Amino acid sequence: MGNLLQGWMGSHVMGSGGSKRKVEEVESDDEDAMDLDSLLHTPKKRKLNSTSKYIYKTLFEDGRSSDVCVVALGQEWHLHKVYLCQSPYFGSMFSGNWSETNQSRITIEILDDNINIDALHLALGQFYKDDIEVEAAQVIPLLATALLLQMDPLIDQCTCIMLETINLQTVLQYHEAARRYGVVEVDKACKQWLLHNLLTQVTEHPATLRHIPPDLFYELLSSPHLYVMQTEFSVYVMLKAWVFLRLNPSWEGSHEEAFLEAHKQFRNRTEPGWFLEEDGREFSLVFSALRLEYLIYHHLDVEMLYSDRILPPSWLTPASMHQWYNMLRIDQGKDRGPSEISEEEFDKSCTRCGRVLANSGQHIWRWTGYNFGLDLVMTHDGASLRLKRNHRTENIASIAQPATRNIMYRVTVASLDEQKQVVYTKTTGVQAVSLAKNEEIRVMLLDPEVKYPLLLSANFLITTNHHLMVQGATSPITAASSLAGARSHTSRE
């Protein structure tokens, strides 16, 4: 009887599947209950019609309960002093002894031509919400408005937007605005963009090249960190095209056509004398930024310089004399190259070379032109950059070749994004090395994540920096200053 009772109770407790299954089902039910309980007590976020949106719609756009009317550029905004006082501009206006303090209608006089109604609407609306959407085309008017109304958070937002959107279309506008409004970060970033892209992107777009102002051009060309593509002579060719575009503001065409037309214009010039001493005096300061001693490294380049009749002999003769003096010193064993000078002196005296490495494959090249018999070959193998003193027998008779030669160099590389902003850069810094014949050194180990195409900039100094004074010669800087002074004096008369 006891066994029967036990079996009956067991069958009702365990069911037909046995005790194990029933226990699992009970445990599963407990777990489901716990999961449901957990879900019930887990906060869920859903974005409703926020207070910020309500405030913006009812108070700013509809002007409900407005206690002040702001008038500017013929437009009215019905606003609220308590919100406007977030800016010192309005805060001081409504809390002092000003005539506007107790007025319900305020007129703002707009003298800045960059400020427009759309920018004012965006800026005033920022007092009522905490987010903003701005297109790059609107950022300069908005920055000007934010500066007028002393809206520091909005100024910061405009600065960030400008830094993120520097490209070929915006760089000159942003630079002009940055200088006008004292936004140092943007000014510096625009110059950096131009130093990397002037001889690649900008030269391929005549409309942009034409609008580079002379003072900015001079600053860029004077920089030792300018990414010069090929050699210094390419800077001269670009500058000649820039002058042509400035003198012909309505001309339109491709960059190849612009360079060709510039060449023709100066070759066919009928006016007597040298361009920078006659009708081109306004360009003399920019041309004075050229590193003249490095423009005379090839006989064809020298022929072009004299046939163009842009640079006067009073500029070219000292450069030629300086290089002749360097060659004599090297040939007579008086100069084995620089080994120790300051970075400042290196920046003033070095030549700038460069190229674009399109892919990660192997590249071997040299920059051509007379180099005092020193043949420097660079190699890129995808992982590193190497520099070799290549001893060619044809150079032995031209100039003395000591067993070791001292050179100083700085190699810098950069990867750019779609806007041609730098996303990766690496530099060797200024280095001094003594190279034996056919000796090769590794100058840089590239990081594995480097992206191509890769811009490469190389600065070299292979002669000791001796200053040779040529009697009666005039330096380009002095000549440019004299011409500018003469022009100012003439205009006053």
Side-chain angles (χ1 to χ4, degrees):
M1 183 68 178
N3 291 334
L4 289 174
L5 181 59
Q6 185 178 359
W8 180 86
M9 291 178 63
S11 65
H12 281 75
V13 172
M14 294 185 294
S16 60
S19 61
K20 185 175 180 180
R21 179 181 176 189
K22 191 65 178 179
V23 170
E24 288 177 350
E25 289 180 354
V26 172
E27 290 177 351
S28 176
D29 291 342
D30 290 342
E31 290 174 359
D32 290 343
M34 290 176 64
D35 289 341
L36 288 172
D37 187 63
S38 176
L39 288 171
L40 288 172
H41 292 86
T42 301
K44 301 296 181 184
K45 294 182 179 179
R46 293 290 184 272
K47 193 168 184 179
L48 304 176
N49 189 11
S50 67
T51 303
S52 176
K53 287 185 177 180
Y54 176 81
I55 290 173
Y56 183 81
K57 176 67 174 61
T58 59
L59 299 187
F60 177 68
E61 291 187 336
D62 297 344
R64 189 179 302 177
S65 303
S66 169
D67 59 356
V68 63
C69 178
V70 175
V71 182
L73 297 178
Q75 181 83 13
E76 293 184 355
W77 288 268
H78 296 276
L79 306 174
H80 309 79
K81 292 182 179 180
V82 67
Y83 284 95
L84 296 180
C85 283
Q86 293 175 79
S87 91
Y89 178 86
F90 288 108
S92 60
M93 181 185 295
F94 296 139
S95 60
N97 296 320
W98 303 97
S99 58
E100 297 90 350
T101 300
N102 298 313
Q103 291 181 3
S104 59
R105 186 179 180 85
I106 305 297
T107 299
I108 301 176
E109 185 177 4
I110 305 297
L111 302 177
D112 189 336
D113 55 357
N114 275 332
I115 299 177
N116 55 40
I117 292 177
D118 290 340
L120 280 165
H121 190 80
L122 274 172
L124 293 172
Q126 282 306 114
F127 292 122
Y128 295 82
K129 62 178 182 177
D130 53 7
D131 60 346
I132 187 170
E133 292 183 8
V134 182
E135 297 178 1
Q138 298 174 300
V139 72
I140 293 177
L142 187 59
L143 172 66
T145 307
L147 285 162
L148 171 67
L149 302 181
Q150 301 175 31
M151 300 173 67
D152 290 343
L154 187 54
I155 294 171
D156 293 340
Q157 287 297 316
C158 290
T159 300
C160 290
I161 293 169
M162 294 171 80
L163 292 173
E164 292 172 1
T165 56
I166 296 174
N167 53 50
L168 182 68
Q169 284 73 38
T170 63
V171 62
L172 294 181
Q173 299 173 19
Y174 283 3
H175 175 261
E176 181 184 358
R179 289 202 301 184
R180 180 173 180 176
Y181 300 118
V183 188
V184 177
E185 290 177 82
V186 175
D187 176 66
K188 182 179 178 180
C190 289
K191 290 175 184 174
Q192 283 297 114
W193 191 96
L194 288 165
L195 288 174
H196 285 89
N197 294 284
L198 182 60
L199 280 103
T200 52
Q201 297 299 310
V202 178
T203 53
E204 294 181 0
H205 296 82
T208 304
L209 179 62
R210 172 188 281 125
H211 289 103
I212 299 178
D215 58 338
L216 175 59
F217 218 163
Y218 172 80
E219 187 174 352
L220 296 172
L221 299 189
S222 300
S223 172
H225 303 292
L226 176 66
Y227 273 62
V228 171
M229 291 298 105
Q230 302 309 325
T231 65
E232 292 281 355
F233 200 79
S234 62
V235 180
Y236 169 78
V237 175
M238 174 192 62
L239 194 51
K240 188 166 64 171
W242 174 76
V243 172
F244 165 76
L245 293 168
R246 302 282 286 191
L247 294 176
N248 300 273
S250 60
W251 184 90
E252 294 182 359
S254 68
H255 69 283
E256 293 95 345
E257 293 170 330
F259 279 72
L260 181 61
E261 290 301 317
H263 181 70
K264 289 180 180 178
Q265 176 165 318
F266 286 103
R267 283 295 176 93
N268 300 330
R269 183 170 162 268
T270 58
E271 294 83 356
W274 302 83
F275 179 70
L276 294 183
E277 291 182 336
E278 301 297 335
D279 46 344
R281 293 183 178 186
E282 63 183 290
F283 303 107
S284 57
L285 184 63
V286 181
F287 275 90
S288 70
L290 291 171
R291 303 194 171 201
L292 299 179
E293 62 269 29
Y294 299 116
L295 300 185
I296 53 177
Y297 268 23
H298 196 286
H299 72 94
L300 292 177
D301 295 344
V302 175
E303 291 173 10
M304 179 180 288
L305 288 172
Y306 279 92
S307 62
D308 286 343
R309 291 188 299 121
I310 296 175
L311 302 174
S314 60
W315 290 30
L316 292 173
T317 299
S320 301
M321 288 292 294
H322 185 267
Q323 293 300 65
W324 173 249
Y325 177 64
N326 285 335
M327 187 179 71
L328 292 176
R329 285 181 55 83
I330 292 173
D331 189 56
Q332 295 167 17
K334 301 296 183 182
D335 186 0
R336 291 179 178 270
S339 58
E340 190 174 328
I341 62 172
S342 68
E343 185 171 352
E344 182 181 3
E345 280 298 309
F346 175 85
D347 286 343
K348 289 179 181 178
S349 307
C350 66
T351 184
R352 302 165 298 186
C353 309
R355 66 186 290 117
V356 178
L357 304 177
N359 53 59
S360 59
Q362 187 178 54
H363 303 268
I364 302 175
W365 73 94
R366 61 168 56 88
W367 287 285
T368 58
Y370 185 73
N371 215 23
F372 301 100
L374 185 62
D375 183 31
L376 296 176
V377 177
M378 287 205 74
T379 302
H380 165 273
D381 59 11
S384 65
L385 292 167
R386 306 185 70 85
L387 178 66
K388 179 181 179 180
R389 179 190 174 188
N390 190 38
H391 187 62
R392 296 190 294 175
T393 56
E394 62 265 31
N395 286 334
I396 295 177
S398 64
I399 194 168
Q401 290 295 311
T404 60
R405 281 288 299 273
N406 299 325
I407 69 167
M408 297 184 72
Y409 68 87
R410 176 176 56 221
V411 176
T412 308
V413 296
S415 295
L416 310 180
D417 62 13
E418 293 79 5
Q419 294 190 103
K420 305 305 176 184
Q421 293 192 23
V422 175
V423 293
Y424 167 88
T425 187
K426 189 173 186 178
T427 183
T428 63
V430 177
Q431 302 292 329
V433 64
S434 182
L435 294 176
K437 296 175 182 178
N438 292 316
E439 182 179 359
E440 185 178 50
I441 61 170
R442 187 177 71 186
V443 299
M444 181 183 292
L445 184 64
L446 297 172
D447 297 334
E449 66 271 17
V450 66
K451 302 295 184 183
Y452 291 82
L454 191 66
L455 293 185
L456 183 144
S457 174
N459 302 63
F460 290 109
L461 186 61
I462 64 174
T463 60
T464 305
N465 191 26
H466 291 284
H467 297 286
L468 177 65
M469 299 303 295
V470 181
Q471 188 174 3
T474 305
S475 71
I477 295 288
T478 304
S481 301
S482 300
L483 289 171
R487 185 170 65 252
S488 299
H489 182 68
T490 303
S491 64
R492 286 195 299 269
E493 292 179 340

